Amino acid sequence: MEISGKTKVCGIIGDPVDHSLSPVMHNAAFTELKLDFIYVAFPVKREELQVAMTGIRCLKVHGLNVTMPHKIAVITHLDDTDPTALFIGAVNTILNKQGRLVGFNTDGMGAIRALKKNGIDLKRKKVLLLGAGGAAKAIACSLIKEVNELTILNRTPAKAKQLAQYLIRAGNNKISGTILSAETFQCALQDTDLLINATSVGMHPDTNQNLIDLRSLRSDLCVMDLVYNPVETKLVRAARSKGAKVVSGIEMLIYQGAASFEIWTNTSAPIDIMKQAVLRKLSESGAI
Ligand code: ATR
């Protein structure tokens, strides 16, 4: 692609961003569809957010992804935020709409699409969600429109209860939230169809850290792990070895990226191209 005076700039802000997979993923998609867009990584420290956002406006950056540590703080720098992203309390995507910065959170739709595209039917299913942080909230808000029953377990029980109560107030039944312990996990797992790890446990560098008794996984379960570094987490490996259907964090990364891409370009994302680019990059870096 030739970069011209009209090329639209998208990017990611965060600290660190030098290992982000988003630039290769989005640039591969722009190239594939011959869109006059480019995607770059902007390293922005916590204390630089305000000036960075002024710069984004002045430089007419078209679209942004937002990662740690800015996902929460960035909301106060936007002109408008999607109501679900406001509830989640975190924005991972920004669209510059003729000078107005609008925030979204694509984690929930990314997870649902990743599950469905991997052949997991959500209708009438019972889901056990581990975690009640930003990613878990995003997923719970999207999942609840599809599934029959949702149990949320979290190390800090107040957060699980608060999330469950919000979803119940929004008109959903069959939701509970409580502490994550060996007992609550075993009890909830018994009639679970889909288990989702939305905690950061298992993430590099603590890849041996374990949240649950992996021996209790079963072949009739579907298991999704949002952790994508490493690609094969301990949970994913154990689930696979039990014969369970598995959706890895890479799938979720790609589909949340695809949702951002579609917000910026108004064009269907070329999923396979994005996936190939990410897997190539991971393979080059020795992660797979
Ligand atoms: P994200 O935006 O990725 O969801 P987050 O909002 O910080 O990140 O949430 C991290 C989640 O992982 C939380 O549910 C957290 O549990 P707490 O709410 O109790 O903090 C969970 N988590 C992180 N480390 C954990 C650990 N060692 N054991 C159990 N849960 C853990």
Side-chain angles (χ1 to χ4, degrees):
M1 279 298 300
E2 190 182 280
I3 298 184
S4 73
K6 291 184 184 154
T7 302
K8 288 188 170 151
V9 177
C10 294
I12 181 166
I13 57 165
D15 182 31
V17 284
D18 46 355
H19 286 101
S20 170
L21 295 165
S22 297
V24 287
M25 177 165 73
H26 287 292
N27 285 319
F30 295 148
T31 305
E32 171 69 15
L33 300 183
K34 299 188 173 55
L35 296 173
D36 192 9
F37 281 67
I38 190 158
Y39 189 106
V40 285
F42 298 116
V44 175
K45 290 198 188 308
R46 190 183 290 276
E47 60 278 14
E48 295 171 332
L49 181 63
Q50 184 165 357
V51 272
M53 292 310 290
T54 304
I56 296 298
R57 285 178 193 275
C58 288
L59 300 173
K60 317 288 184 288
V61 170
H62 177 74
L64 274 186
N65 281 133
V66 184
T67 188
M68 297 310 292
H70 306 307
K71 282 181 158 194
I72 299 167
V74 80
I75 294 178
T76 56
H77 299 280
L78 303 177
D79 299 303
D80 207 356
T81 303
D82 167 79
T84 306
L86 264 186
F87 164 69
I88 297 163
V91 156
N92 74 342
T93 303
I94 298 172
L95 172 67
N96 189 340
K97 246 183 177 174
Q98 282 113 32
R100 287 182 65 75
L101 299 184
V102 186
F104 302 87
N105 189 309
T106 65
D107 282 344
M109 49 188 135
I112 301 292
R113 269 173 84 179
L115 287 164
K116 287 186 176 172
K117 296 283 180 181
N118 278 278
I120 294 170
D121 176 22
L122 297 172
K123 291 272 169 285
R124 291 179 294 281
K125 291 291 156 52
K126 292 185 179 178
V127 180
L128 172 53
L129 179 64
L130 307 178
K137 274 182 171 175
I139 287 165
C141 288
S142 294
L143 260 184
I144 206 61
K145 297 173 194 142
E146 312 265 342
V147 303
N148 190 44
E149 201 172 320
L150 177 63
T151 302
I152 303 157
L153 299 181
N154 193 46
R155 177 177 63 179
T156 310
K159 283 164 70 179
K161 286 182 184 147
Q162 203 181 14
L163 176 54
Q165 275 158 13
Y166 169 83
L167 295 168
I168 291 166
R169 276 200 302 275
N172 304 286
N173 298 313
K174 295 195 177 170
I175 299 167
S176 62
T178 190
I179 192 162
L180 170 60
S181 68
E183 292 73 32
T184 57
F185 174 73
Q186 288 304 338
C187 178
L189 191 70
Q190 278 172 24
D191 58 354
T192 287
D193 302 298
L194 169 62
L195 168 68
I196 303 179
N197 175 36
T199 75
S200 45
V201 174
M203 193 186 289
H204 178 80
D206 294 325
T207 53
N208 257 327
Q209 207 185 3
N210 202 12
L211 198 56
I212 54 167
D213 183 356
L214 298 172
R215 291 168 305 182
S216 47
L217 299 176
R218 310 180 306 263
S219 62
D220 64 323
L221 274 176
C222 297
V223 177
M224 182 186 215
D225 195 345
L226 300 198
V227 173
Y228 64 85
N229 182 12
V231 175
E232 286 269 319
T233 60
K234 211 170 164 183
L235 172 63
V236 161
R237 262 203 316 277
R240 227 191 272 289
S241 76
K242 290 276 181 168
K245 197 163 196 174
V246 168
V247 181
S248 74
I250 283 292
E251 297 285 321
M252 154 89 180
L253 173 82
I254 288 159
Y255 283 100
Q256 62 79 30
S260 301
F261 178 94
E262 289 169 2
I263 287 171
W264 302 323
T265 64
N266 224 357
T267 308
S268 287
I271 298 291
D272 290 344
I273 296 293
M274 295 169 91
K275 194 187 252 179
Q276 276 168 27
V278 165
L279 293 177
R280 203 178 317 116
K281 181 77 182 169
L282 284 168
S283 152
E284 278 165 20
S285 65
I288 49 173

